[in-house]
Amino acid sequence: MHRKLVFLPLIAGLVLTNHALATELEWVRTANDQRGFVLAESGRTFVPWGFNYDHDREGRLIEDYWEDEWESVADDFQEMKQLGANVVRVHLQFGKFMTAADAPNQDALRQLEKLLRLAERTGLYLDVTGLGCYHKQNVPAWYDALDEQQRWQAQARFWEAVAARCAKSPALFCYDLMNEPYVPGGKKKRDDWLGPAFAGKHFVQFITLETTGRPRQAIARDWIGKMVAAIRKQDRRHLITVGLVPNSLDRPGLTSGFIPDQVTDDLDFLAVHLYPETGKNPQALKTLQGFAEVGKPVVIEEIFPLKCDAQQLGRFIDASKPYAAGWIGFYWGKTPEEYQPPATIPEGLTLDWLRLFQEKRESILAVESEAPAFLNNGVTAHRGDSGNFPENTLAAFQGGIAAGADWLELDILRTQDGQLVVIHDKTTARVGDRKLVVAESTYKELATVDVATDFRRRTGKSLADCPPQRIPLLEDVLKLVKKQRRTRVSIQPKMDCVAEAVALVKRLQMEAWVGFNDGNLQYMTQAKRLAPAVTIFWDRGANTDIEADIRTAKTHGFAALVINQAGVTAEKVQKIKAASLEAGAWTVNDPQRMAQLRELGVERLYTDYPRRALE
């Protein structure tokens, strides 16, 4: 008799009535601010919260039983869903999926497709981790005999075959290139591709046996690039990552060679495996922060009370929320009820983990409903809705929000008394009724200037139609923006005041709402260094060297290149987009020119008239 007969009616009902779930699952992409994930169609926040399904209760890998005991797999997926998971990480073994270096196992690939259909019906996303050699006795001898380049080619063939089967499924969350890869240190050549066993399984794998004088990080970067290229031949859309150990960070001692900020350019997000030790939550958080500083979303892809109790692990999960975008623990084929009472210490640890998983689920996934549902329409209201209201005023920013722009843009300077104020020019002469030098005046003095004066003069509006406006504090604008959940704000520093602006943003806990833009590379790199999660729009001139700019933008983790509209060409736009950067143009107010730029592929328009751009 099947071990979980109680679930069979439910499973049968899912198969018969819930086939439409495949169309209800939305594709997952990284959020524009590079802090997490969103569902592509609705824009809702998506927080990976789930399980590693790396073996069953008997220690068998999924390929050992997913044909003869398919009902067990289906039951396990349903149980993981009922426990509150939205992601399941599966570990595919190279030897089961490749019959020769260039010959994928078609039976295994068909079974993988069947697993994808199950995930679609169950409403779960898959983290597909590949190239596993967990059971050394099952690693083909021909595979071990390959040299480095032959092995890489066989691995790339594996990924190309897997991606071909997964490319069209919305249930795929990501491809994980390998579980815990290493590049060996030292000059001595290794004689084994696998690291030491843990509980009878070899989770660590080396991508080469010797460095032959090459920098370790260069080898890691080249390997990642080859695997990603293989996947992208078949699948241009799904996310790609690699499972990294904590000592991947560039710190003293033994390291993996996969230094996150040097090898992950081709990856969509970072995955780290963290097991906090008793009394050492601060150290684990510091490690996590090191990964987050790369400026891409970070998922804790393995977590479990292995080296601490569940209570401490719960505190770590809570404290990790500013840095982590998802958490994946473990499930081994038994529900909490089946672990009661626990017969062994490992069973007790697992029971504590599953209880913690259920306990934390509500607060973790609450972010999906509570997080801002930011717009994504490619329209930046330049100095607010400044065609209809005085620029850089609260009225203009309220107008930009009401118009539906996804971003506002503003300029800041520092006053004599250290206040950050929102104004473009170094003096009030152009916009105001008298001239004061911003940096030489107190905010109290600046607040006496009517900065709507020039707007009334240009538009012919009366005082009744356009009342006096004062220079706003940056803090006041940020608080205005934070009251809503659709429009964000990009800060353009007009002097060396980036550190103060970032400090204010952090004090108001507004990293998710804020970006920075300017052409000053020093200012932009400083903003990204101080606040890795913020979006950086790098403003460029009409005659800029676009290829050099792309290299610089990618090096520093910028999100977009925004070019003076006079210099926009189709070739430049194509190069920017091919580098996975957003292509923008500033400042565009003519509707015909807006249409031309959109036809060239421009994704973002800076404009004084956001409603025109949206129409």
Side-chain angles (χ1 to χ4, degrees):
M1 181 178 290
H2 186 49
R3 64 182 174 84
K4 295 172 187 171
L5 189 60
V6 65
F7 285 100
L8 286 177
L10 180 57
I11 296 291
L14 283 169
V15 173
L16 292 172
T17 65
N18 282 8
H19 183 70
L21 272 174
T23 60
E24 294 175 11
L25 277 178
E26 296 186 48
W27 293 64
V28 178
R29 65 171 178 85
T30 54
N32 290 343
D33 63 4
Q34 290 296 296
R35 297 189 65 196
F37 307 94
V38 295
L39 299 177
E41 287 77 22
S42 67
R44 290 188 296 111
T45 299
F46 175 74
V47 181
W49 180 247
F51 297 111
N52 280 270
Y53 186 59
D54 56 336
H55 61 78
D56 70 355
R57 62 176 69 189
E58 299 172 13
R60 297 179 302 171
L61 304 176
I62 190 170
E63 296 98 337
D64 295 334
Y65 60 92
W66 68 349
E67 291 186 2
D68 295 338
E69 300 176 30
W70 177 254
E71 289 180 347
S72 293
V73 177
D75 287 354
D76 287 343
F77 267 56
Q78 185 59 35
E79 288 175 5
M80 287 186 279
K81 180 70 173 179
Q82 290 177 337
L83 287 169
N86 57 24
V87 169
V88 174
R89 183 182 180 216
V90 295
H91 301 244
L92 307 184
Q93 305 304 300
F94 180 89
K96 300 291 186 178
F97 275 78
M98 300 293 291
T99 59
D102 60 351
N105 183 330
Q106 299 302 321
D107 290 337
L109 290 170
R110 281 190 289 271
Q111 203 67 10
L112 175 60
E113 281 192 286
K114 187 175 180 180
L115 194 71
L116 282 165
R117 302 293 89 77
L118 173 64
E120 291 169 356
R121 292 194 301 271
T122 315
L124 290 167
Y125 290 91
L126 293 185
D127 171 340
V128 174
T129 298
L131 303 180
C133 293
Y134 295 174
H135 287 170
K136 193 170 186 175
Q137 66 273 20
N138 294 332
V139 178
W142 59 260
Y143 185 46
D144 278 341
L146 300 179
D147 64 24
E148 176 188 300
Q149 291 305 313
Q150 292 170 333
R151 191 175 175 95
W152 288 18
Q153 187 59 39
Q155 292 169 344
R157 186 69 186 91
F158 166 98
W159 275 122
E160 187 176 348
V162 168
R165 299 299 180 113
C166 297
K168 295 181 180 180
S169 175
L172 189 80
F173 168 53
C174 71
Y175 302 101
D176 181 336
L177 300 178
M178 182 183 283
N179 186 75
E180 300 179 357
Y182 268 70
V183 178
K187 298 180 180 179
K188 184 178 179 181
K189 183 177 180 179
R190 289 184 56 83
D191 59 4
D192 193 346
W193 293 97
L194 304 182
F198 176 81
K201 291 177 171 56
H202 295 262
F203 295 113
V204 170
Q205 189 173 166
F206 289 85
I207 62 169
T208 185
L209 295 179
E210 59 180 338
T211 60
T212 58
R214 298 167 293 172
R216 298 171 73 206
Q217 62 270 28
I219 298 172
R221 185 168 54 248
D222 290 347
W223 178 82
I224 288 174
K226 187 174 183 67
M227 298 306 115
V228 170
I231 291 172
R232 293 303 182 216
K233 287 181 182 179
Q234 302 292 339
D235 188 345
R236 304 288 301 176
R237 186 171 184 180
H238 284 114
L239 305 177
I240 303 176
T241 190
V242 65
L244 299 178
V245 291
N247 62 352
S248 296
L249 295 176
D250 191 11
R251 294 174 176 174
L254 176 67
T255 62
S256 74
F258 280 72
I259 303 173
D261 61 356
Q262 297 184 36
V263 306
T264 58
D265 285 351
D266 292 330
L267 302 179
D268 296 294
F269 69 94
L270 275 64
V272 59
H273 302 171
L274 272 179
Y275 298 87
E277 298 180 23
T278 299
K280 293 185 178 182
N281 272 4
Q283 291 89 328
L285 287 170
K286 186 177 181 180
T287 294
L288 178 61
Q289 185 176 5
F291 282 86
E293 287 173 355
V294 174
K296 295 186 177 186
V298 178
V299 171
I300 302 178
E301 196 181 36
E302 291 185 14
I303 191 168
F304 189 77
L306 184 66
K307 301 178 181 179
C308 69
D309 60 28
Q311 186 176 14
Q312 179 186 323
L313 188 65
R315 293 193 298 269
F316 172 79
I317 290 173
D318 291 339
S320 69
K321 291 178 183 179
Y323 311 110
W327 299 258
I328 304 178
F330 288 87
Y331 170 86
W332 293 305
K334 293 175 66 173
T335 66
E337 292 72 24
E338 291 176 289
Y339 280 114
Q340 296 183 59
T344 64
I345 292 177
E347 286 194 358
L349 292 175
T350 305
L351 175 59
D352 289 344
W353 156 248
L354 293 175
R355 286 171 170 169
L356 178 67
F357 182 87
Q358 292 176 290
E359 174 190 324
K360 292 294 180 185
R361 177 189 180 277
E362 184 174 351
S363 63
I364 292 292
L365 298 187
V367 177
E368 294 186 354
S369 58
E370 294 177 359
F374 293 126
L375 296 170
N376 182 29
N377 52 40
V379 174
T380 296
H382 180 244
R383 305 176 195 172
D385 187 5
S386 56
N388 295 301
F389 299 92
E391 69 177 58
N392 278 327
T393 62
L394 290 176
F397 299 129
Q398 289 168 333
I401 292 170
D406 61 355
W407 284 86
L408 308 172
E409 186 263 359
L410 57 79
D411 312 277
I412 60 168
L413 289 163
R414 187 195 307 109
T415 67
Q416 185 184 60
D417 55 341
Q419 299 288 331
L420 295 180
V421 293
V422 180
I423 187 170
H424 180 273
D425 299 355
K426 293 182 179 179
T427 78
T428 61
R430 178 175 62 85
V431 295
D433 53 0
R434 60 195 180 97
K435 178 181 178 180
L436 289 177
V437 178
V438 175
E440 297 175 2
S441 307
T442 66
Y443 179 65
K444 184 176 181 181
E445 292 168 337
L446 291 167
T448 65
V449 178
D450 177 9
V451 292
T453 302
D454 175 65
F455 183 80
R456 282 196 298 272
R457 183 168 52 245
R458 288 187 291 106
T459 61
K461 292 183 179 292
S462 65
L463 276 172
D465 293 331
C466 179
Q469 294 288 326
R470 307 303 173 193
I471 299 175
L473 291 168
L474 175 60
E475 181 168 356
D476 291 339
V477 178
L478 292 178
K479 288 179 177 178
L480 170 69
V481 170
K482 195 175 183 181
K483 290 179 180 178
Q484 51 82 54
R485 294 175 171 269
R486 303 195 320 147
T487 300
R488 290 179 280 181
V489 59
S490 181
I491 299 170
Q492 184 171 19
K494 309 302 290 187
M495 64 185 302
D496 186 7
C497 57
V498 172
E500 296 101 313
V502 170
L504 175 60
V505 169
K506 289 185 174 182
R507 176 166 64 82
L508 296 176
Q509 297 182 329
M510 284 192 64
E511 291 98 321
W513 276 265
V514 171
F516 282 82
N517 72 281
D518 196 50
N520 187 307
L521 181 59
Q522 179 183 344
Y523 292 170
M524 295 301 95
T525 55
Q526 183 184 15
K528 192 66 175 175
R529 185 177 69 254
L530 295 175
V534 302
T535 302
I536 302 295
F537 304 92
W538 193 25
D539 299 339
R540 310 310 296 141
N543 299 315
T544 186
D545 182 341
I546 199 65
E547 292 183 351
D549 287 346
I550 288 171
R551 288 193 296 270
T552 300
K554 295 293 287 183
T555 297
H556 295 291
F558 298 165
L561 289 179
V562 187
I563 305 174
N564 183 310
Q565 61 151 321
V568 174
T569 65
E571 182 182 8
K572 288 181 181 179
V573 171
Q574 289 170 1
K575 289 181 177 179
I576 293 170
K577 295 168 73 171
S580 298
L581 297 168
E582 186 180 57
W586 61 271
T587 300
V588 193
N589 292 326
D590 176 65
Q592 185 175 355
R593 181 57 175 160
M594 290 178 181
Q596 292 171 346
L597 291 169
R598 291 294 195 193
E599 289 178 4
L600 291 175
V602 170
E603 299 165 292
R604 177 159 301 282
L605 298 175
Y606 281 49
T607 178
D608 300 334
Y609 296 92
R611 291 185 189 275
R612 287 184 190 173
L614 290 168
E615 290 168 358

